[in-house]
Each structure stands twice: as C-alpha cells, then as structure tokens.
Amino acid sequence: MHRKLERRKDFSGRPAGGDVAEIGLIDSALVRLGVSRDCLLEVMLDIRDKRGSVTEAGLLHLAGRLRLNVAEVYEVATSYPAVNYGSTESYRTEADSCGDLVCALLRDVTNSQSYARPGVCRGRCDRASRGDSGRVFDEFRAAGGYSIVEQLRQEPLLKDRILQDIGRGHAVGRAGNFFPVGRKWQSTIAASGKPVVIVNANEGELATFKDRYILESDPHGVLEAALVAALVIGANQIFVYLRDDYVHLHTVLRRAIDDVVASGLADGRQIDLRRSGGAYICGEETALIASLEGRPPRPRERPPYPTEHGYHNRPTLVHNVETFYRLRGIWGAAFEPTVPVTGLLAPDAALFSVSGRVRQPGPKLVHGLPTLAALIDEAGGICDGDELGGIVIGGAAGTIVSAELCHASLQDLLASGLRLGTGSAIVFNRNDDTGWIAARMAGFLARESCGQCSPCRVGTTKMARALSDGSLDNAALDDLSVAMSEASICGLGRSAGKFLARVIHTAPERQR
Ligand SMILES: Cc1cc2nc3c(=O)[nH]c(=O)nc-3n(C[C@H](O)[C@H](O)[C@H](O)COP(=O)(O)O)c2cc1C
Ligand code: SF4
C-alpha cells in the first residue's frame, strides 16, 4: 500500500523536504510539454525515466503547479503501473521476457530467468531484435510518400474521393472489432467541434506485436495515413499514443514526427507523441482519451462515442496502427506517384502475431489462410519433438482452438463464430495443459481489469481463481459469465464473460 499523501503545513509551491533536482526536472518537463493537466502522465513518466519514479514531494509540487487537488494527482500516479509510484524497484521498460502466458509456456524451453516483472505481456513473444532499420523520411519521400498529403492540400475536393474509396474498399478497423472505417470518419465529420485524430499504438493485448512490427518497418506509412485522415475530417491535432514498453519506437517516432513537421507537410497541425501508462486498459479508446487528458485510464459508457464526444469533448477519430497503415492500400491506387504497395497493404492479407511452440515466432503476413494449422508452417513449423496441441487465437479473451479444429477449414470456423481479434496466435503442444492456459488467460484479464465496475472486477477475479482451483461449478461460472458479458462497462469485462462461456462449453472434462 502506498503511504498516505499529506499536504505539508509549510507547503508554498515547494514541498518541505522536496528534492531540488526532482522539482527542477518537473519544472523543465512542464516548460517543454506545457503547463496543463493533459501532460500529467507524460511528466510522471519523464521523471520515472530519469529517477525511477516521482516522489511524494514531486506529486505535491505537480499538484501546485497544475492547480490540481493533490488527491487527483495521487490517483493518476497510482493508476498507471508504468509510473512506478511507491515502488522501490526500478521499472524496466524494454525486456525480452515477462511472466505472462507465452514466456511462462516457453520457460522450460528457453530456461530464461529474466523477468521484467511478473505478469503483463511485454509484446516480445517473438524475441525479435529491435532494429531501427525502418524506412526513414527521405526514403519514404523518394518513393512517393506524402504526395497524397500534398495533393489533398492543393485540391481539398479530393477528400470526397478518399471517403468514397474507403467505403468502396470496405475498410475495417484492425484493433479486433473490424468496425467499418468509413462510418467512423463520416460520424466524426458530422459531429460539431474541431476533430482530433488518435493513432492507437498501445498494443497491450496478450501476445500481440503486429503494430510494433509495422512501426518498426515503416513509421511514415502510419503518419502519412494519420495526416490524410486529419485533412479529410478537418482535424488540427494528431496524437500518437505509444506503448511505453516500446522504448526504441519512441525514438523512431520522435524522429519521424520531427521530420514531418520540419518538412512543412503537417501544415501547422500539431502532432503529439504520448506514452501510455503500462496497462492493457490504456488502449481502450475512452480510457486512452482519459489518459491524454491527464486522468486515470478508466473507460466510460458509450454512447456518446468518441467520434462525437472524445478528447475534451471534441469529435475524435481513434484507429489502430494497422488500420491506418492499411488505408494506404485503399487509396494508394488512385494517387500517383505512390509508395509501392507492399504485401501488407493487399486487401486479403492478414497479419498474425505468431508465438509459442513454433520454430520462427514473429509477425506473419498470410493470404487466404486455409486452416489455422497452416499458420504454423508460416512460422517455420512446430518446435522439434512437439506435437500440436492447439492454438490460442485472439488474445487474453480469445479462443482456445483444439488441434483437430486447427486442421478444419478456417472459413467454416469463422462462419461458426470464431473471432480472430488482433490476430494473436499462441501455439501450444499436446503436453501443455489447456486448463492452465485458460487460467493464465483469465489471470491476465483479472490483473488488467481497471476495477471500476463490479461485474468485471469481481467477475474476472473469481473466474481466474475458479479456473485455477476449480472452486466454482459450471452453473456458478455460467452466472458469472452472463454478469460479466451483460453488465460490464467496457469490452474487457464483456469479452471476459464470453471467454468464460467458451471455456465452460468447450471443456467437457470440467463438467461435474
Ligand atoms: C481492454 C481493451 C484494450 C484495447 N487495447 C487496444 C490497443 O492496445 N490498441 C488498439 O488499437 N485498440 C485497442 N482497443 C480497441 C480500442 O478501444 C478502439 O476500438 C480501437 O483503437 C479502434 O481502432 P480501429 O477502428 O482501427 O479498429 C482496446 C479495447 C479494449 C476493450
Ligand atoms: S469492464 Fe473492467 S476494465 Fe472495463 S470499465 Fe469495467 S472494470 Fe474497468
């Protein structure tokens, strides 16, 4: 538990016992980022980078400078794991291994004892090296990049054509729900107020690293699409909300944004790079917006949707990194010269994050996948000596697909309700215990629940315990599943309920 925070009697802008160096760092961060509540999280992360975490005296100083209630500042500090408030251990951001499902599954194989901290998947399930060999600004420009931005600035009527292309191309969101992109854009345009564009690069889903791969390879592809979106919907501000653990990408994106701004292509539009607070829930769009406003990352009921009332009540367009990137494939053909269309931009291409017991885990781009088992071939085959046990598809609240069904037609599985979600695919073998896997998935959801609503807070905790120790019978689990699915505020609790229903109904051995 954190100690109680008290305002000192002699507090007068500088707390008693305050560390002069920390106060200096806070003040210079505020000068750089602006003296506004919006930058609260970013200032705290800045101090964490330099000193391990912000201190109590630092929080008091921040509250004074931002004219906020101390309790509010304390609440923000304690709701983001990445702020590391009150911890005596340093917060490791980039790490090759964590304590979550994939790393735990492979621990006996890799014999890795390196844990960033228990739990919370770090999106490193492919153990990939973090090169910064992505396409830089000059290369992207030389290949025709940003010419669409220039054309749009000269011929504003082209935006109607882009909207038509998006509708005709049936572009859908890639964050997991496959919501039509065109509908979001139209709704943002129809709403009153100055719109905002947000690139959601939080990528907190279990065993998912596709957005990291896209940003590592072609950051300007994403920024170009975000700028086009801003021009089409009339936004003057763009946020890139980046997963805090992706430290190397912070540098890559900082440079990419600086290059775009320096070139004049942003045309006065503000492009802000912000880091998330180290929790899965930070990627839920209303929680993300709360985080950008300097509040704790708590989702809110919808409607109103962010497209109508988002960042500071302005119409806000939030898309996943992959969604933005792929839009270039849709309008690319209509604008010349264009950056060569890569495989990823082909409409039938699906991007999976494949991890677990395969020889070559990593991002895999596939066209017309016949079966889920075929994904294993894309990943170099199953590890030596292993026999396929099945694949967890779609993240922490995803589906545990048996080996037999992995060989069934994927089209049939999709038709019968399988959801691919973010495209995360964790391969396990015959000896891996699916009960243990389900319990780890439930553990992730329980740990990452923001705790705001009881169906999710209590439900995910009970579910995780019951799937570990069998403490509830199927009737009680069924009730829990219905309560979570129907009464939770956001998608985390609702999808946790649906996950539990699948576990109960596809695991006959659980039935008593
Ligand atoms: C618990 C939770 C976590 C989420 N995390 C992310 C995330 O990390 N990245 C993301 O793009 N979308 C995430 N989403 C979905 C966003 O709320 C939002 O729907 C998405 O950014 C829209 O992108 P799209 O239109 O491109 O699909 C999350 C949703 C929930 C319920
Ligand atoms: S469903 Fe869970 S994560 Fe979502 S608001 Fe409720 S407690 Fe928070």
Side-chain angles (χ1 to χ4, degrees), residues 173-175 184 200 202-204 280 283-285 318-320 323 491:
R174 300 287 168 166
K184 272 196 181 177
N200 189 344
N202 184 59
E203 191 150 74
Y280 174 42
E284 195 281 338
E285 57 190 4
V318 187
H319 279 311
N320 173 253
T323 309

Side-chain angles (χ1 to χ4, degrees), residues 54-75:
V54 63
T55 65
E56 183 180 311
L59 291 190
L60 285 166
H61 184 69
L62 260 171
R65 287 294 316 271
L66 298 176
R67 300 190 182 286
L68 290 171
N69 187 310
V70 179
E72 288 179 276
V73 177
Y74 176 74
E75 198 187 7

Side-chain angles (χ1 to χ4, degrees), residues 281 284 297-300 445 448-457 460 484 487-494:
I281 202 62
E284 195 281 338
R298 293 201 193 105
R300 63 158 172 79
L445 295 166
E448 296 298 311
S449 162
C450 82
Q452 182 182 198
C453 57
S454 43
C456 170
R457 183 185 63 248
T460 52
M484 284 193 281
S488 295
I489 290 180
C490 85
L492 191 151
R494 290 198 294 268

